[in-house]
Amino acid sequence: MSNPVKILIVDDEPNVRLMYHSSLESEGYELYEADSGAKALEQCAAGKFDVAILDLRMPGMDGLELLDIMHEHGIETPVVIITAFADVPNAVNAMKLGAIDFLQKPILPDQLRSIIKDVLVRHEPEKGKDQTQDFDYYLRCAKRAINLRDFAAAKSNLVKALELNSNSPQAFNLVGVMLEMREEYDQAKRYYGQAIKLDRHFEPAQQNMRRIFELFNFGSSDEPINLENK
């Protein structure tokens, strides 16, 4: 019998934690809560979590400081970042620490359940998994490697994905995200642009391109990172 999935919900507002809890409890997850960054660190030190849901804006130790300390201490728990419009510049910094999954307020229960499932599938141990190495498999492996800031592995998996489908806007968009995390912004724009060229209606790449443009030209943006999580 497999161990239950453990999820840590970190938010200083009780009503928000209750909403997240209510949205996820039907999935059979083992849910834990922390009302501050300090308490979240204590819980991470006491036991391993499969996913942490983290609000960037909290009093005392804010979400970005918490994520930075988790990174310094080698806590590799995948993190889903909850952002508000004003948090986007901080969200970009969070991405540089390996957080690549974002939800923007207001959050619908279906959105939260969907992104949690995506993160869990991506980080599922290889043992016992379906080992079919298809296009989706390589994209999933690339996202996991980006989470862990293993850019060599991410690049290798993205190359394999593009060998299987050289006209994939999803793969080119993900290459752009990887390059943006490495602060190679000109290269990132090239890959976002290639994704848009392949599909001018592909919103994730459009959104990422808008964010970079606005950050460099206006100093801020309302556009979060978009990996096309389903």
Side-chain angles (χ1 to χ4, degrees):
M1 184 176 178
S2 60
N3 295 324
V5 170
K6 295 183 178 181
I7 298 177
L8 178 62
I9 300 168
V10 187
D11 197 292
D12 62 296
E13 297 184 22
N15 289 341
V16 173
R17 297 198 304 273
L18 177 61
M19 189 275 282
Y20 297 164
H21 197 286
S22 299
S23 299
L24 296 171
E25 61 184 352
S26 63
E27 303 297 316
Y29 303 139
E30 201 169 287
L31 301 171
Y32 298 79
E33 298 181 14
D35 61 7
S36 69
K39 289 184 179 179
L41 282 175
E42 289 177 5
Q43 295 202 47
C44 287
K48 179 177 173 55
F49 292 95
D50 297 285
V51 184
I53 302 168
L54 174 60
D55 194 338
L56 279 187
R57 184 161 296 191
M58 294 185 293
M61 181 190 298
D62 66 25
L64 190 60
E65 291 174 297
L66 170 59
L67 189 61
D68 194 16
I69 294 172
M70 289 173 67
H71 180 65
E72 288 179 359
H73 290 188
I75 299 171
E76 296 182 345
T77 301
V79 171
V80 175
I81 299 292
I82 308 299
T83 69
F85 283 123
D87 291 330
V88 170
N90 281 338
V92 173
N93 290 329
M95 187 179 71
K96 294 174 184 176
L97 294 172
I100 62 173
D101 297 285
F102 296 83
L103 281 175
Q104 196 165 48
K105 298 176 180 178
I107 300 164
L108 298 176
D110 284 346
Q111 291 178 312
L112 183 60
R113 286 191 289 267
S114 178
I115 199 168
I116 291 295
K117 287 179 181 177
D118 184 87
V119 173
L120 288 172
V121 168
R122 186 191 318 149
H123 288 272
E124 187 179 6
E126 294 295 329
K127 184 178 180 180
K129 279 180 61 174
D130 178 3
Q131 292 298 303
T132 302
Q133 297 185 353
D134 57 9
F135 175 78
D136 289 338
Y137 170 84
Y138 288 120
L139 279 193
R140 193 164 60 241
C141 289
K143 286 183 181 181
R144 180 171 65 244
I146 290 172
N147 273 151
L148 300 175
R149 297 185 62 80
D150 185 349
F151 296 128
K155 180 179 178 180
S156 174
N157 281 289
L158 287 168
V159 167
K160 291 174 182 176
L162 286 166
E163 286 175 351
L164 292 172
N165 184 355
S166 61
N167 293 312
S168 165
Q170 292 88 349
F172 279 103
N173 180 63
L174 195 53
V175 174
V177 170
M178 179 188 70
L179 291 166
E180 188 174 351
M181 287 182 66
R182 292 168 54 174
E183 300 185 6
E184 297 177 27
Y185 298 109
D186 288 340
Q187 286 284 83
K189 285 190 288 186
R190 283 183 54 199
Y191 280 90
Y192 292 147
Q194 182 61 30
I196 294 167
K197 182 178 179 180
L198 289 166
D199 181 357
R200 62 189 179 91
H201 300 296
F202 188 64
E203 178 57 22
Q206 296 273 11
Q207 183 172 308
N208 290 329
M209 187 72 91
R210 286 195 300 270
R211 183 187 61 262
I212 287 185
F213 176 83
E214 290 172 0
L215 286 172
F216 276 86
N217 287 276
F218 308 120
S220 64
S221 173
D222 290 339
E223 301 284 1
I225 293 87
N226 193 327
L227 277 82
E228 197 199 21
N229 288 318
K230 298 178 181 178

